[in-house]
Amino acid sequence: EQEIAELSQLLEAVQKDIAARENGVKGWQMRLDSRKNRLQSAREAMDRLNLDANEQLRRAKLLEDLERNLEGFGQSVKAVMREAQRGSLRGVCGPVSRLLTVPGEYAVALETALGAAMQNIAVETEGDAKAAIRFLQSREQGRATFLPLAVVKGKVMDSRELEAMPGFVGVAAELCGCEEKFRGVRDSLLGRVAVAEDLDSAAAIAKRTGYRFRVVSLDGQVINAGGSLTGGSRVKNSGLLSRAGEIRRIREKAAGLQAQADKAKEAYQEAGRELAQCEGELGAAQGELLSAQEERS
């Protein structure tokens, strides 16, 4: 009877231990399921970010190929640039569209303001321009306009009278950037062009200033000096000016996505380590439960 009493007490203690260990196993099992879900989510996030980054890089490469192949430029511009790349023409800096850095929100307005001048070619000297013209003549590759940096100078209009006018955005030349040596070219083409928010603002600004200069709206409508209006759908050369900026923006976006993907990979690896640790803890808890069950038997 004494032995029965002792064994009964032991059995009761073992039963309580088993119950506690069963709860522990259930807890670790729940943690394991949570870790598996976290691992799956981390893997999906990592894969999605990698795909997004690769897609942006693919887009950037496509635009870079277009830029490298001078897609959208005239035959004469392509011929001059290719000859310059071979080293046969000296002093060729490139078409205007490649010399300017334009924020995306102003691209349409400045493309419109420049028009065909986007394909004008900047060269170092008049001699370089003459050599390029003789090349086009000899090869019958068409015509092009050349802008010798040593000669072409421009002046930016005084915008103080415009700043208080509703809808005035800025002078076109001051809304884009370029290297210092190209300022003369930029100012000569854009120094007397104002940019307005919309067509109505452009018309009002042009009227109040006596139609002395062109005013272009952000969506590409134009009030010409003298009062005539030009507008409609986007110009044929649309995209040439903004292509380099777009490539830069896409690559920056891809870099940001790749950085996020790298962090997601770290999170995925950490989730994997936590899962492995949890599996080990669950295995240990199951082993202790089995021992307690054997002790009960």
Side-chain angles (χ1 to χ4, degrees), residues 75-77 79-80 132-133 135-137 139-144 146:
Q75 175 183 332
S76 58
V77 178
V80 169
I133 289 172
F135 161 74
L136 290 175
Q137 284 179 316
R139 300 292 179 86
E140 296 185 351
Q141 291 291 326
R143 300 168 66 84
F146 296 90

Side-chain angles (χ1 to χ4, degrees), residues 14 17-18 21 284-297:
V14 170
D17 186 44
I18 288 173
R21 294 190 184 282
Q286 289 172 332
E288 291 172 355
L289 175 59
L290 182 61
S291 297
Q293 289 170 337
E294 290 175 350
E295 186 176 353
R296 177 179 61 185
S297 299

